[in-house]
Amino acid sequence: MNLAAATNENLAHTSNVLIYSSMAVYTLAFLAHIAEWVFGSRSKVGRTAAALDATNRAGAAATSAPKIQVKQAGGATTVLERPTVVTRSAAGTRDVPDGPGASGGTFQGDLWGRIAVSMTVLAFLVQAGGVVARALSVERAPWGNMYEFSITFSTVAVAAYLILLLLRKNVRWMGLLLVTVVLLDLGIATTVLYTDSDQLVPALHSYWLWIHVSTAIICGAVFFLGAVATLLYLFRDSYERKVENGETPGRFAQSVLDRLPSAATLDKFSYRANAAVFPLWTFTIIAGAIWAGEAWGRYWGWDAKETWSFITWVAYACYLHARATAGWKGRKAAYLALIAFGCWLFNYYGVNIFITGKHSYAGV
């Protein structure tokens, strides 16, 4: 074994060690996020609903109708037979401020939240080091197979989350679910999808590998953040509807959902994330077509990967078009957004694992 081969083998081993080490740190971040949610404050909606529920229970012996005393100007009081809980912001006003820790929760919850973010930053740096070591070991872009794509994808997803925090965006509510998915992604990558360091077929030795696949990874990471917000929006919206109708949310809603931002905030975040990255996804498909023209002598051939990339593009285009022209907001738009992200997931996992095509180079 010559010196170059030995060096590459050592770098590959270092990459594996760093990836496993990042998983250990992500686990600590996961536990810290759990503590943040346990000790963090409820949202404004959650606190109001809890106060009304406690008041109603206290007065249940006197009357069956929900009542609450409200102090007015001048010292007078009045009794509201059906108190209203405002869960959505009025037109022209800011959203109801919500969320644990990051938006001004309890001291203990905020402390655990800061620890969780610090652990996430450390894990990200370790994982990024693992990705770089993998790239150096193969002397090419570190996304030539599903294992490399997966570890790079989760790295970029965490990077996008941390960038939003640096921009002082209130997204710390996403940390728990993000870290959970990253751990699952790395777990699958290191067990099911792992592939030894190796060179690619000649058709992939092109600068388009850096351009086309890197933009696909960035798009997938941002689409993922949008999908997380969309999924949480559906749960939060159901919770707010129950509160507005005077119903008592279940134990899960009381312990988790009332610590999330308002449904309007989640819906807005999801829309902005998907809309911001959609032009880049369009460029990704165009770049892939140009690369296909150079590598295979044709720009488009309805290969499985090409077809599902186009289906994903159409799904997100329908979502954005429906919101912009048909006025589809809320749950209808959320379902469209989740279908679109489902297409992206199948394009990655389903096409690569179950369908054979021109993009099937290195198995997994």
Side-chain angles (χ1 to χ4, degrees), residues 46-84:
R47 291 194 301 269
T48 305
L52 290 176
D53 185 57
T55 302
N56 294 337
R57 286 199 305 269
T63 176
S64 59
K67 297 180 180 180
I68 184 172
Q69 286 191 344
V70 178
K71 189 172 183 179
Q72 297 178 327
T77 60
T78 185
V79 176
L80 300 180
E81 294 289 341
R82 295 181 179 277
T84 301

Side-chain angles (χ1 to χ4, degrees), residues 29 48 84 138 164 175 190 207 221 237 245 326-327 332 352:
T48 305
T84 301
V138 294
L164 290 174
T190 54
Y207 60 88
D237 183 65
N245 295 331
K332 288 182 179 180
N352 286 1

Side-chain angles (χ1 to χ4, degrees), residues 280-333:
L280 187 60
W281 181 248
T282 304
F283 170 78
T284 301
I285 296 177
I286 296 174
I290 296 174
W291 188 11
E294 291 186 359
W296 302 321
R298 54 89 174 149
Y299 293 101
W300 194 268
W302 297 106
D303 178 70
K305 178 70 69 173
E306 298 168 347
T307 301
W308 275 96
S309 296
F310 179 69
I311 291 174
T312 303
W313 184 90
V314 171
Y316 275 108
C318 290
Y319 162 73
L320 297 174
H321 178 74
R323 290 200 60 140
T325 60
W328 273 29
K329 296 182 180 180
R331 302 186 73 86
K332 288 182 179 180

Side-chain angles (χ1 to χ4, degrees), residues 119-142:
M119 291 293 101
T120 303
V121 171
L122 177 59
F124 163 75
L125 294 175
V126 175
Q127 184 183 5
V131 173
V132 172
R134 177 76 176 199
L136 294 175
S137 70
V138 294
E139 300 179 350
R140 56 169 171 79

Side-chain angles (χ1 to χ4, degrees), residues 240-274:
E240 291 183 0
R241 291 177 186 273
K242 288 183 178 180
V243 172
E244 288 179 333
N245 295 331
E247 303 176 24
T248 301
R251 182 171 299 177
F252 172 77
Q254 293 177 353
S255 61
V256 176
L257 297 182
D258 63 3
R259 288 174 166 82
L260 287 173
S262 64
T265 300
L266 293 169
D267 183 49
K268 183 186 298 183
F269 177 88
S270 174
Y271 172 69
R272 288 179 175 177
N274 292 328

